[in-house]
Amino acid sequence: MADILTRALSFVAIIVLGYILRRIHFFSAEHFGLISRIVMNITLPCAVIVNFSPMELKASLLAIIGIGVLCNLITAGVGYLSAPKRRMQEKAFNMINLSGYNIGTFTMPYAQNFLGAEGVVCTCLFDVGNALLCTGGTYAIVSGMLNHEKRGGFLSSMKALLRSVPIWTYLIMLTLTAFHLQLPAPILTFAGLISPANGFLAMLAIGISIDLHFEKSQLFSILKLTGIRLAISAALSVAFFYLLPFSFSVRQTLAIIVFAPVSVLCPVFTKHIDGDVACAGTFNSLSIALSIFIMTTLFVLMNGAF
């Protein structure tokens, strides 16, 4: 229990360190982009390789990809219903900003350090389904609903998905695991050396990205979105933990990762629909801050209680 709590608080300390270093101008917004690229293209893929390699993938776990899709559809659907009937722009804003999960740069380091190889594989499978919608699928639905002219954002996001190093790493490792194949030992050794850096760099990038400045006029919208997102996450968490026919480890992982922050792409797609980008950015930062507290608490309680 003491070891789990120490590791959890260390993660929080790294995020706080990144936040402080950004505030004193040691880091800038450009550094966040650089560190995020290192995480997404180098350390995260290596962490996926290391954790997939010893696993024997059960066919039943592939259903988690569908769960990732389902969670996005539920959050987007609630976003649509949470706005007044005729206010389509507000519905679109809510759909984009309530859906999507930040798995690669936020949740994966937690899974890597607290949930073991099976938890990481479960998180990867969830992210495959999540990525299909949060990188453009939800925006396509919203764009069609608005009959919006700016459709280039969707095509760009689909191209980005096909160029995504983590997605290709997921698919390659899934294929190798399904056929009981292993990568050559030198590759596993190389990945094993880089993988431990993923947690530190990802948490540092999260700290650099947090910005909780907002206008008073945005307060109601931000609090409303926050309340809805937390309510959905809590309902999904309870349902997944108690109702799904998976092992305890998988159910625990799903129950925790639904509290992940919203996707970092939400403000980007908000701009595509001419929405309030500043409000979306502040909500994104707030969702990160809340996820730090909630997910850290759940990791400590679940790992200490069972």
Side-chain angles (χ1 to χ4, degrees):
M1 180 66 175
D3 178 59
I4 292 168
L5 184 59
T6 300
R7 278 188 288 154
L9 292 177
S10 296
F11 265 40
V12 175
I14 295 170
I15 293 170
V16 172
L17 175 64
Y19 180 81
I20 292 173
L21 291 175
R22 168 76 183 274
R23 299 286 80 76
I24 64 174
H25 305 293
F26 184 89
F27 287 125
S28 64
E30 290 74 21
H31 290 112
F32 167 71
L34 173 61
I35 297 173
S36 295
R37 286 196 296 275
I38 293 173
V39 169
M40 295 302 291
N41 295 306
I42 301 175
T43 63
L44 174 59
C46 286
V48 171
I49 289 170
V50 168
N51 285 277
F52 255 96
S53 294
M55 281 294 298
E56 186 170 324
L57 185 66
K58 300 175 183 176
S60 60
L61 291 182
L62 294 177
I64 296 172
I65 297 175
I67 291 174
V69 173
L70 179 64
C71 288
N72 277 263
L73 293 176
I74 289 173
T75 49
V78 173
Y80 179 87
L81 296 173
S82 64
K85 185 178 293 187
R86 298 181 183 276
R87 299 184 64 175
M88 297 304 291
Q89 191 67 30
E90 185 177 343
K91 287 180 181 292
F93 179 88
N94 289 355
M95 288 175 70
I96 285 176
N97 286 280
L98 283 173
S99 63
Y101 296 84
N102 184 344
I103 300 297
T105 55
F106 186 91
T107 311
M108 190 62 74
Y110 275 100
Q112 185 182 358
N113 282 270
F114 292 97
L115 297 174
E118 188 175 34
V120 171
V121 170
C122 176
T123 304
C124 292
L125 292 171
F126 182 91
D127 196 29
V128 173
N130 170 62
L132 293 173
L133 286 168
C134 79
T135 61
T138 301
Y139 171 68
I141 296 170
V142 171
S143 182
M145 184 183 78
L146 293 176
N147 194 24
H148 214 273
E149 295 178 359
K150 294 183 179 180
R151 296 180 183 272
F154 171 64
L155 294 176
S156 297
S157 66
M158 289 298 98
K159 291 177 182 177
L161 181 61
L162 293 175
R163 293 195 301 265
S164 169
V165 175
I167 289 295
W168 281 107
T169 306
Y170 295 157
L171 296 177
I172 291 169
M173 294 309 298
L174 275 170
T175 303
L176 291 176
T177 305
F179 287 98
H180 305 287
L181 299 174
Q182 284 256 344
L183 288 171
I187 295 179
L188 294 177
T189 301
F190 177 77
L193 290 172
I194 296 175
S195 174
N198 188 60
F200 171 74
L201 290 177
M203 294 299 103
L204 189 69
I206 289 295
I208 295 171
S209 72
I210 293 176
D211 186 358
L212 296 176
H213 294 99
F214 62 91
E215 300 293 332
K216 288 184 178 179
S217 59
Q218 300 171 338
L219 182 61
F220 176 76
S221 295
I222 292 170
L223 292 179
K224 178 182 176 181
L225 288 172
T226 301
I228 294 172
R229 174 78 178 198
L230 288 177
I232 297 171
S233 297
L236 290 173
S237 180
V238 172
F240 290 166
F241 189 75
Y242 289 105
L243 300 179
L244 290 181
F246 296 123
S247 68
F248 171 79
S249 176
V250 172
R251 290 185 288 112
Q252 175 186 239
T253 299
L254 291 172
I256 293 175
I257 63 177
V258 291
F259 285 101
V262 295
S263 169
V264 294
L265 293 174
C266 291
V268 176
F269 290 126
T270 298
K271 183 177 181 180
H272 285 318
I273 63 165
D274 300 319
D276 189 337
V277 178
C279 182
T282 302
F283 172 63
N284 202 288
S285 292
L286 180 59
S287 76
I288 291 172
L290 289 172
S291 291
I292 293 168
F293 173 76
I294 294 171
M295 292 179 68
T296 300
T297 301
L298 288 176
F299 278 121
V300 171
L301 291 178
M302 286 191 173
N303 282 277
F306 295 96

